[in-house]
Amino acid sequence: MSRFIKRFLPITVILIGMAIIYFTGVYKYLSFEVLKANHKELKLFIAQHPIIVSFLFILSYVSFTALSVPGGIFLSLLGGYLFPQPLSTIYVVFSATCGATLIFLSARTALGDSLRKKAGPVLRKMEGGFQKNAVSYLLFLRFVPLFPFWIVNIAPAFFGIALRTFVWTTLVGITPGALAFTLAGGGLEKIFESDQPFSIAAIFNIQLKIALTLLGLLALVPMIIKRIKKS
């Protein structure tokens, strides 16, 4: 296999996967309405095939994350609905980290070196600053959802962030959010039975936003201390 194919094969597979997902409309099934309409059958199926459902859930979550398909919040809720704690949180954190790592590696392999070589002085300066404080920046971006998940997965690839740093900061950074949404997913059965309206905003409320923002700011403390010492 030539070097060119090795370099671009992963990102090509991901792009083809994205095209299939969008053109077939599979992502439309990731909705609260579809889950509500089929939740009894789904519960019955998981009772009969718990291992198969666990495997399919993890595989689906990894694939959708790697393909950057919108629906991560829904899948986290679904995980909380299907599996008890702490399994649901473990499945979600593990799957999301694997999927994020796949797209990170694909972007770094295909485009990372080329973009860094062509980068101007401003981008090089940004790269240097990001690398020096990679842990603080990455944890902040994971705790505080200012940007879409897929952007935070790809951007570090262009800044030359080490794989180990990317993986562990992703694992730690997404855990609070994953725990919150899987806990909320565990309460969906009552909502289905009572036919109450469902809203993501009710879960991702101001209290949760404040908690995640505080965690993000806490992650920046080491970088701030470092700068204070230098000045």
Side-chain angles (χ1 to χ4, degrees):
M1 187 180 292
S2 71
R3 187 177 174 183
F4 180 85
I5 294 177
K6 285 183 181 177
R7 181 179 172 188
F8 288 101
L9 182 60
I11 197 70
T12 303
V13 171
I14 284 177
L15 291 174
I16 291 173
M18 285 179 178
I20 291 173
I21 292 290
Y22 281 104
F23 283 114
T24 57
V26 173
Y27 65 93
K28 294 178 182 175
Y29 291 96
L30 302 179
S31 73
F32 180 75
E33 289 72 24
V34 172
L35 177 60
K36 186 178 179 181
N38 300 280
H39 71 102
K40 290 182 180 176
E41 291 80 2
L42 201 54
K43 278 286 187 181
L44 180 63
F45 188 76
I46 193 173
Q48 296 171 339
H49 309 283
I51 296 176
I52 293 177
V53 174
S54 300
F55 174 75
L56 290 176
F57 175 79
I58 291 173
L59 182 64
S60 300
Y61 207 127
V62 171
S63 303
F64 277 83
T65 304
L67 298 176
S68 302
V69 176
I73 290 177
F74 172 80
L75 287 174
S76 299
L77 289 168
L78 178 62
Y81 177 70
L82 293 177
F83 312 107
Q85 292 288 351
L87 277 182
S88 57
T89 302
I90 292 172
Y91 287 166
V92 167
V93 171
F94 172 77
S95 307
T97 301
C98 288
T101 303
L102 286 175
I103 186 67
F104 167 79
L105 287 174
S106 300
R108 190 175 72 170
T109 303
L111 304 171
D113 289 340
S114 301
L115 288 178
R116 281 200 297 278
K117 286 177 183 176
K118 295 176 182 176
V122 176
L123 190 57
R124 286 184 187 281
K125 191 175 179 180
M126 286 178 60
E127 180 184 356
F130 201 96
Q131 287 181 348
K132 285 179 184 175
N133 303 288
V135 171
S136 293
Y137 281 134
L138 287 174
L139 284 177
F140 177 80
L141 290 171
R142 291 302 187 192
F143 285 138
V144 185
L146 289 175
F147 301 99
F149 193 65
W150 65 271
I151 289 182
V152 185
N153 294 335
I154 292 176
F158 302 139
F159 288 122
I161 301 303
L163 174 62
R164 183 185 300 177
T165 304
F166 177 85
V167 172
W168 84 255
T169 54
T170 300
L171 197 70
V172 172
I174 66 174
T175 297
L179 178 61
F181 283 109
T182 51
L183 284 172
L188 285 179
E189 188 68 42
K190 290 182 180 178
I191 295 177
F192 293 146
E193 290 175 356
S194 61
D195 205 25
Q196 294 174 357
F198 174 78
S199 166
I200 293 291
I203 302 169
F204 196 57
N205 52 33
I206 187 67
Q207 290 87 352
L208 180 59
K209 288 178 182 176
I210 290 174
L212 292 176
T213 301
L214 289 175
L215 281 173
L217 293 174
L218 191 64
L220 294 178
V221 169
M223 183 189 72
I224 295 170
I225 293 175
K226 199 187 297 182
R227 291 197 173 186
I228 291 174
K229 286 182 177 178
K230 280 186 177 179
S231 61

